[in-house]
Amino acid sequence: MANQPEPWLRGPLEGVDAFIAPLLYSLEQAREDIAAHTAHLTTEQLWERPNGAAPAGFHIRHLARAADRLMTYLEGGQLSAEQMAALRSEMEPGATREELLEEMAALLDRVESAARAIDAASLTEPRKVGRKELPTTVIGLLVHIAEHTQRHVGQAITTARLTGIRLP
């Protein structure tokens, strides 16, 4: 959105608690940045591994699937067999940019919908993560979803720039 400020500078989100809004801003920023910085890449470039780095396609797929998995923990659940299978397939190349963006949109839509339904009074409630049931809180998971998403957006952008460079 070249003519707009970043999502967090576009004003409050109607009906969203101020403590939940930063996650939603982060996810919108991810959508916009990934779309903008991969627009010039071919499918082959999305899956290139410059200097052995993980491909941009992996980072797009991973940020969405990881947010979905973390939201499962936020909701008090454990990962499904489908989520575990999806985790193991994140590095598999071949998906087009459009396919990656569609998957990212669908999973981030799920995360956004669930986040909008969170009662701010529950932010300090405990949650458990993973098989080891490591302790965190609702707000801890929300913050981690946002920061983890942005970490992989940055990695995807960097890799996209490296693979988009064509030297004579």
Side-chain angles (χ1 to χ4, degrees):
M1 304 287 137
N3 296 334
Q4 292 188 63
E6 292 182 355
W8 66 280
L9 293 170
R10 296 178 193 163
L13 299 173
E14 189 173 330
V16 176
D17 187 274
F19 288 105
I20 308 295
L23 170 66
L24 302 179
Y25 295 139
S26 178
L27 298 180
E28 181 60 25
Q29 187 78 52
R31 290 173 192 261
E32 292 175 14
D33 285 348
I34 291 292
H37 291 280
T38 62
H40 66 288
L41 296 181
T42 65
T43 299
E44 292 75 25
Q45 289 173 319
L46 278 168
W47 294 103
E48 282 182 23
R49 299 187 66 160
N51 297 318
F58 160 78
H59 291 294
I60 297 166
R61 186 181 277 156
H62 176 71
L63 72 85
R65 290 181 183 179
D68 177 66
R69 290 189 296 271
L70 291 164
M71 190 55 74
T72 297
Y73 295 129
L74 187 132
E75 294 168 335
Q78 289 295 315
L79 300 184
S80 68
E82 293 81 17
Q83 285 172 308
M84 293 302 293
L87 170 64
R88 290 187 293 273
S89 71
E90 287 179 355
M91 283 290 281
E92 290 178 10
T96 66
R97 177 179 175 272
E98 291 73 26
E99 290 167 336
L100 290 167
L101 293 181
E102 284 176 20
E103 180 181 11
M104 182 180 73
L107 292 172
L108 294 186
D109 284 350
R110 172 187 135 33
V111 171
E112 290 173 359
S113 177
R116 287 176 181 276
I118 293 172
D119 179 355
S122 72
L123 292 175
T124 59
E125 288 180 4
R127 291 293 185 271
K128 295 181 180 184
V129 176
R131 290 185 206 127
K132 292 183 180 181
E133 297 187 335
L134 299 172
T136 190
T137 60
V138 170
I139 190 72
L141 275 160
L142 292 175
V143 168
H144 184 63
I145 292 167
E147 65 86 16
H148 181 266
T149 298
Q150 289 304 317
R151 179 185 314 154
H152 284 281
V153 167
Q155 290 175 307
I157 291 169
T158 298
T159 305
R161 285 188 168 184
L162 291 173
T163 58
I165 297 171
R166 292 290 174 246
L167 301 175

